[in-house]
Amino acid sequence: MDNHQEVSMDVEAQIEKNDDSRTLPFSNFKKANLPITLKFENVVYTVKVKEPKSWLCQTKGKTKERTILKGLTGIVKPGEILAMLGPSGSGKTSFLTALGGRVSEGKGKLTGNISYNNKPFSKGVKRATGFVTQDDALYPHLTVTETLVFTALLRLPNSIKQREKIKQAEAVVSELGLDRCKDTIIGGPFLRGVSGGERKRVSIGQEILINPSLLFLDEPTSGLDSTTAQRIVSILWELAHGGRTVITTIHQPSSRLFYMFDKILLLSEGNPVYFGLGSNAMDYFASVGYSPSVERINPSDFLLDIANGVGSDESQRPEALKAALVAVYKTNLLNNVINEVKGQDDHYNHSIENSGDSSKHFGDWPTTWWQQFCVLSKRGLKQRRHDSFSGLKIGQVIFVSFLCGLLWFKTNLNHLQDQIGLLFFISSFWAFFPLFQQIFTFPQERKMLEKERSSGMYRLSSYFMSRIVGDLPMELILPTIFLIITYWMAGLNPNPVNFFLTLLVLLVHVLVSGGLGLALGALVMDQKSATTLGSVIMLAFLLAGGYYVRHVPVFISWIQYLSIGYYTYKLLILGQYTENQWYPCGENGKLKCYVGDFEGIKHIGFHSGLSSAFALAVMLVGYRIVAYIALMRIGKTKSG
């Protein structure tokens, strides 16, 4: 079978045929499973931009359309690297996102035709595609090997045994020259780990684990020194010459990197200025009257200058030069590009008619729901144990618990007001603490979730449940320690039944408050805004909790029925006292009164305990449902 026949094969059918070949070590499958030719014809991408409000003119912000990409046409074949060059804001990343099938729903309108072996983007193409983002979204506390092993366990299909998946991850570590740092954590801004070049190679390794036929990379050399950048591009060159189609954006490559790219697409404000062989770029611009002012110049520097409207003729305005270059491209190059794109249509159509559709043989996911849940749970525990059980948090909880125990030391029914004050403090403290612990969960993981969901790595439900279940030990251990210390020091009801009822109420309260934090974080997806909103909401709940204000006006009394603290405070009182229980009252405590008649408890009452428990149960489930629905928009693309 020759190369043209291989390229023309149906994407999903060939992926199914070659699934078992992925069990080979990475160094043994230099050739792509399925060569894919990527074509794009007259691609236009338009977004709606909201203009800022004018304070001086008192005008409302209007929404207008802005065209990011303006009619891009071209073709990239297996074995070729296409490098997209252009100034910042020229549309490189937007175009890469469109080619990779990752245009988010509702964010813009994409027109034109993008095809993969003359077929539209599908789940089969998605499984054969690797996409390396610019920001290297990686978990900081995982080592290099752990990062790649977890990726292999999630992305490689069940036709490969777990042992073989791990071997394949280890083979990728060796192939990318990461043996020296394989047991080093990734690190982050405030956590020392691997170098920038090593991080980038780990990101590339995550994608080549699946032996992709298409590989997209957004600024893979950004922020790297020239030697490291050369090594990264050399890896891409080897991958491309194994029959893969590689498309990358790059800002300003050195001259030796420039000549490693097979094709160049030069963009200027979303317009194509040049598309063709990288080796012909300088000759083309010289032929249309644009030559560098000096003999020896980095080709990419020259191309970026003219894309910015800076030419050798200083009298020519930048906007005029840009318009001239676009017009020259349409006159001299566009027809040749269109002919190249159309030249293989007949061959593709013939092969597609005979290839059949094998998509029905594929599941939507490489692994089962349970496998995803288990792997994500294990990965989450490894990553988050450092934050949840940090010395600072443990020390904070133990300090507050002992402080409470000392301030309320051996209080009894002689100081009933003090005791109910302690119960309200417990409900307040364990409302804010889990709220702010959980409110950062999804905003911090947004980039990772977008990246992995866009790759089709796992179901949202398996990720969400792994977070909920995996966080349970971390959420419940600290409040349990707190209560064990404070409860007995403060001299609350010593009956074991009362203690365990109080503990049960506290743990449910913590889970409900944490659920509110998850919901707010998922809805807002901005840490500062979510924190502010959470503080305001919890403060309102606190004021309506039944301790500070006992006679709430009718028109605002509805807040207490939404308050987590209101129901928790009531249940804590019910867990400590009975309505007909005696306490010392009167002058010097010589009289005995009913607890149910105590002023601070009377308005709370000893009724509706079941309804309070039911309200907390509804909140426990409801807040998490809200969080899940809010997360459904993350990683959702128009192309599936």
Side-chain angles (χ1 to χ4, degrees), residues 385-402:
R385 64 186 177 185
H386 303 278
D387 296 327
S388 298
F389 293 116
S390 66
L392 181 62
K393 287 184 178 178
I394 295 174
Q396 178 184 356
V397 169
I398 292 178
F399 173 78
V400 173
S401 62
F402 275 106

Side-chain angles (χ1 to χ4, degrees), residues 3 262 418 583:
N3 186 57
D262 300 287
D418 290 346
Y583 77 95

Side-chain angles (χ1 to χ4, degrees), residues 138-147 181-188 190-195 198-199 202 382-383 385-386:
L138 300 168
Y139 284 112
H141 289 287
L142 297 182
T143 66
V144 169
T145 300
E146 287 173 342
T147 299
C181 61
K182 66 180 181 179
D183 297 321
T184 304
I185 61 171
I186 298 298
F190 305 105
L191 183 66
R192 184 165 184 173
V194 297
S195 67
E198 289 165 340
R199 284 176 63 90
V202 172
K382 279 183 172 288
Q383 165 60 24
R385 64 186 177 185
H386 303 278

Side-chain angles (χ1 to χ4, degrees), residues 77-191:
K77 301 174 184 178
E80 293 181 338
I81 304 178
L82 169 65
M84 291 188 276
L85 275 71
S88 298
S90 61
K92 302 188 299 295
T93 298
S94 296
F95 188 42
L96 190 77
T97 303
L99 294 179
R102 297 192 174 206
V103 175
S104 299
E105 290 184 352
K107 288 193 175 181
K109 181 181 179 182
L110 184 67
T111 60
N113 181 45
I114 301 174
S115 62
Y116 312 80
N117 284 1
N118 249 27
K119 296 192 70 178
F121 192 85
S122 64
K123 287 177 180 174
V125 176
K126 191 175 187 177
R127 284 193 295 271
T129 298
F131 199 108
V132 181
T133 56
Q134 181 179 353
D135 50 12
D136 296 327
L138 300 168
Y139 284 112
H141 289 287
L142 297 182
T143 66
V144 169
T145 300
E146 287 173 342
T147 299
L148 292 173
V149 166
F150 282 125
T151 302
L153 293 175
L154 289 168
R155 296 195 70 177
L156 295 179
N158 277 335
S159 58
I160 304 175
K161 296 179 180 179
Q162 180 173 322
R163 182 177 66 257
E164 295 298 327
K165 292 182 180 182
I166 296 173
K167 285 183 178 179
Q168 191 153 310
E170 292 171 347
V172 170
V173 169
S174 299
E175 188 70 23
L176 296 178
L178 295 169
D179 291 292
R180 184 178 63 85
C181 61
K182 66 180 181 179
D183 297 321
T184 304
I185 61 171
I186 298 298
F190 305 105
L191 183 66

Side-chain angles (χ1 to χ4, degrees), residues 482-504:
F482 171 90
L483 192 66
I484 289 174
I485 296 173
T486 302
Y487 192 93
W488 301 109
M489 287 185 67
L492 295 174
N493 195 323
N495 191 314
V497 174
N498 295 89
F499 169 75
F500 285 110
L501 281 175
T502 303
L503 177 61
L504 177 62

Side-chain angles (χ1 to χ4, degrees), residues 88 92-93 132-136 195-201 203-204 217-226 228-230 232-233 236 248-254 257 261:
S88 298
K92 302 188 299 295
T93 298
V132 181
T133 56
Q134 181 179 353
D135 50 12
D136 296 327
S195 67
E198 289 165 340
R199 284 176 63 90
K200 182 60 67 179
R201 278 181 276 162
S203 294
I204 295 174
L217 304 101
D218 191 10
E219 301 280 2
T221 61
S222 178
L224 303 180
D225 60 82
S226 59
T228 306
Q230 171 78 17
I232 295 294
V233 176
L236 302 183
T248 180
T249 64
I250 195 162
H251 184 63
Q252 200 162 5
S254 64
L257 293 186
F261 301 128

Side-chain angles (χ1 to χ4, degrees), residues 213-265:
S213 299
L214 276 169
L215 184 60
F216 299 93
L217 304 101
D218 191 10
E219 301 280 2
T221 61
S222 178
L224 303 180
D225 60 82
S226 59
T227 303
T228 306
Q230 171 78 17
R231 185 166 190 175
I232 295 294
V233 176
S234 297
I235 292 172
L236 302 183
W237 189 90
E238 290 181 8
L239 291 169
H241 283 73
R244 295 171 185 81
T245 305
V246 179
I247 301 97
T248 180
T249 64
I250 195 162
H251 184 63
Q252 200 162 5
S254 64
S255 56
R256 63 177 179 173
L257 293 186
F258 181 86
Y259 287 110
M260 294 180 72
F261 301 128
D262 300 287
K263 287 183 175 177
I264 297 293
L265 172 60

